[in-house]
């Protein structure tokens, strides 16, 4: 995701260290690209910030439904209207990185990418469960929620759900890339087979163990595969696809209005497979690819991109504090907007500051 798949020394990596196969094919991978993509850094940062916009809007929608006025509810839906492209963008960037930007040359690289997401997933699941239990014991069943972490994401770490699909995508497509290169990553392939049957054997094992846990969310949906592949195409060819800027802005605005209507009048929340989200995501990619950045701005976004995954992981703590507990839901429209922008800014600044801090302490492998 955010800072995990940047093209690096792997682009000029030596011959594969694992597997037996054709080195020639490894060197002829059709879509391999070279050079750092600063526009992808911007996409990572904006996707992370937009998730915060959407999650905070969701809190206002939930709280606003019981308020004396519907101003908070309306503000929440406005925030949600521009948000749905963000999580699909995680899958799209991963698809570009795996298939185009930095396709793995060795099985060790695929394992590394899996571990770099797997470890923070469980680290933060435990941190959230224990942290929320400390402050509010009525809402967290520690034993139950810790066990559930191995099966699915749930409150309080609800935002980690996408990693239960993201990691399998990296595994499956990373393995396919290695086979394409002529390698034989049998251990990865065996893990893919185990994953393929997990929707059958996992519930059976849980039942035999007498577990009350029933959910199993490790796996991928069709729309996630489509976003993964669309991301590889749109991000790779973004510089060559050049519709007028006004058309891109108009497309984004029209899709956002469509999302607003869908969520406020038809069904909330909107499904990630909704075609409106494809329009939002494609517009964002093509708009960002047209923006020219100065050197200082590039360095700034590269730094933030490296901290975006961690900021995303921790932001729910501040979301809970600012929007669940401190936000005054029955305020006037002007005060609502001022509160919203202030608390959203604080959430972003504190989340990124913490992520940058543990990055300097070399805890990125554990905390993301």
């Amino acid at each position: 995701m955010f800072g995990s798949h940047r093209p690096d020394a792997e682009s000029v990596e030596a011959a594969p260290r694992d597997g037996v196969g054709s080195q020639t094919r490894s060197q002829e991978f059709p879509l391999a690209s070279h050079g750092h993509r600063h526009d992808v850094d911007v996409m990572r940062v904006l996707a992370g910030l937009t998730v915060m916009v959407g999650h905070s809007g969701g809190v206002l929608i939930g709280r606003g439904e019981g308020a004396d006025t519907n101003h908070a509810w309306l503000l929440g839906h406005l925030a949600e209207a521009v948000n749905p492209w963000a999580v699909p963008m995680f899958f799209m960037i991963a698809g570009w990185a795996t298939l185009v930007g930095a396709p793995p040359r060795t099985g060790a690289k695929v394992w590394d990418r899996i571990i770099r997401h797997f470890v923070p997933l469980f680290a933060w699941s435990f941190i959230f469960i224990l942290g929320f239990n400390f402050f509010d014991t009525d809402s967290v069943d520690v034993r139950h929620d810790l066990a559930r972490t191995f099966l699915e994401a749930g409150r309080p770490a609800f935002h980690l759900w996408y990693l239960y699909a993201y990691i399998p995508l990296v595994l499956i497509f990373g393995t396919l890339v290695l086979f394409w290169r002529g390698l034989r990553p049998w251990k990865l392939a065996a893990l893919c087979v185990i994953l393929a049957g997990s929707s059958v054997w996992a519930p059976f094992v849980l039942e035999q163990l007498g577990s009350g846990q029933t959910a199993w969310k490790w796996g991928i949906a069709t729309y996630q595969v489509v976003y993964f592949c669309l991301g590889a195409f749109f991000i790779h060819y973004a510089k060559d696809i050049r519709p007028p800027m006004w058309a891109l802005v108009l497309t984004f605005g029209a899709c956002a209005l469509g999302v607003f209507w869908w969520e406020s009048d038809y069904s909330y929340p909107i499904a990630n497979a909704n075609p409106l989200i494809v329009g939002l995501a494609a517009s964002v990619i093509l708009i960002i690819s047209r923006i020219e950045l100065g050197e200082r701005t590039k360095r700034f976004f590269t730094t933030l991109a490296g901290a975006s995954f961690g900021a995303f992981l921790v932001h729910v703590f501040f979301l809970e504090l600012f929007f669940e507990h401190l936000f005054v839901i029955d305020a006037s429209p002007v005060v609502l907007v001022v509160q919203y922008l202030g608390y959203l800014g604080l959430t972003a600044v504190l989340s990124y500051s913490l992520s940058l801090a543990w990055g300097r302490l070399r805890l990125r492998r554990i905390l993301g």
Side-chain angles (χ1 to χ4, degrees):
M1 198 182 70
F2 302 100
S4 305
H5 286 322
R6 291 187 307 190
D8 49 22
E10 186 189 17
S11 313
V12 291
E13 214 172 347
R17 295 188 298 272
D18 59 342
V20 178
S22 168
Q23 185 175 336
T24 302
R25 177 170 293 185
S26 173
Q27 296 169 343
E28 293 177 352
F29 191 72
L31 289 178
S33 65
H34 302 283
H36 188 79
R37 289 284 299 271
H38 293 283
D39 56 333
V40 176
D41 287 340
V42 178
M43 293 174 205
R44 277 198 288 264
V45 174
L46 289 185
L49 292 173
T50 304
V51 166
M52 299 179 194
V53 172
H55 285 167
S56 57
V59 174
L60 296 190
I61 291 172
R63 294 186 62 198
E65 289 178 344
D68 295 333
T69 65
N70 67 348
H71 295 141
W73 179 90
L74 178 61
L75 179 59
H77 273 296
L78 289 173
E80 281 274 21
V82 298
N83 157 74
W85 62 271
V87 171
M89 185 66 71
F90 300 164
F91 295 119
M92 297 178 87
I93 293 174
W96 168 80
T98 302
L99 300 177
V100 183
R105 293 179 178 270
T106 68
K109 189 63 180 180
V110 177
W111 285 111
D112 180 66
R113 289 177 174 178
I114 292 171
I115 292 169
R116 287 167 69 178
H117 292 86
F118 190 84
V119 173
L121 164 61
F122 286 102
W124 280 102
S125 295
F126 292 168
I127 290 170
F128 275 107
I129 290 169
L130 297 177
F132 274 65
N133 178 70
F134 179 78
F135 290 107
D136 188 358
T137 55
D138 292 333
S139 65
V140 180
D141 182 337
V142 174
R143 291 178 60 186
H144 177 273
D145 289 337
L146 286 176
R148 186 182 61 181
T149 293
F150 293 95
L151 311 178
E152 64 167 347
R155 185 168 174 81
F158 67 91
H159 64 309
L160 303 183
W161 68 267
Y162 86 94
L163 287 171
Y164 291 78
Y166 184 98
I167 292 171
L169 281 169
V170 171
L171 164 67
I172 294 168
F173 280 91
T175 302
L176 287 173
V177 167
L178 293 178
F179 275 120
W180 177 269
R181 290 185 180 279
L183 304 181
R184 300 294 182 264
W186 298 121
K187 292 179 181 178
L188 289 168
L191 186 56
C192 289
V193 172
I194 293 171
L195 176 66
S198 64
S199 61
V200 175
W201 63 256
F204 174 78
V205 170
L206 290 170
E207 182 180 349
Q208 298 306 307
L209 292 174
S211 172
Q213 304 280 356
T214 57
W216 177 263
K217 295 298 175 66
W218 287 100
I220 56 178
T222 302
Y223 82 87
Q224 293 159 353
V225 175
V226 171
Y227 282 127
F228 197 88
C229 296
L230 281 179
F233 173 80
F234 274 108
I235 296 176
H236 184 61
Y237 291 109
K239 297 290 185 181
D240 301 319
I241 305 172
R242 301 185 65 83
M245 182 65 82
W246 65 264
L248 294 174
V249 174
L250 183 63
T251 299
F252 184 91
C255 290
L257 286 174
V259 172
F260 178 83
W261 169 81
W262 191 283
E263 292 192 321
S264 60
D265 286 356
Y266 182 66
S267 177
Y268 175 81
I270 193 170
N272 284 319
N274 194 298
L276 289 169
I277 299 177
V278 178
L280 290 173
S283 300
V284 169
I285 290 172
L286 297 179
I287 289 172
I288 291 175
S289 69
R290 302 275 289 275
I291 299 173
E292 296 295 331
L293 302 176
E295 290 303 316
R296 292 182 63 181
T297 306
K298 288 178 180 178
R299 289 195 296 270
F300 174 75
F301 275 105
T302 299
T303 300
L304 287 188
S308 286
F309 184 32
F312 167 83
L313 293 171
V314 74
H315 85 278
V316 171
F317 274 128
F318 303 113
L319 184 79
E320 181 80 10
L321 172 63
F322 296 138
F323 292 93
E324 289 281 7
H325 296 288
L326 299 182
F327 198 98
V328 180
I329 209 71
D330 294 321
S332 67
V334 173
V335 174
L336 283 175
V337 172
V338 171
Q339 281 187 105
Y340 180 76
L341 294 177
Y343 285 141
L344 180 64
L346 277 173
T347 298
V349 169
L350 292 173
S351 298
Y352 272 93
S353 296
L354 278 176
S355 181
L356 289 168
W358 71 63
R360 289 182 175 274
L361 295 174
R362 301 184 182 278
L363 296 174
R364 190 72 69 201
R365 300 284 291 191
I366 299 173
L367 300 179

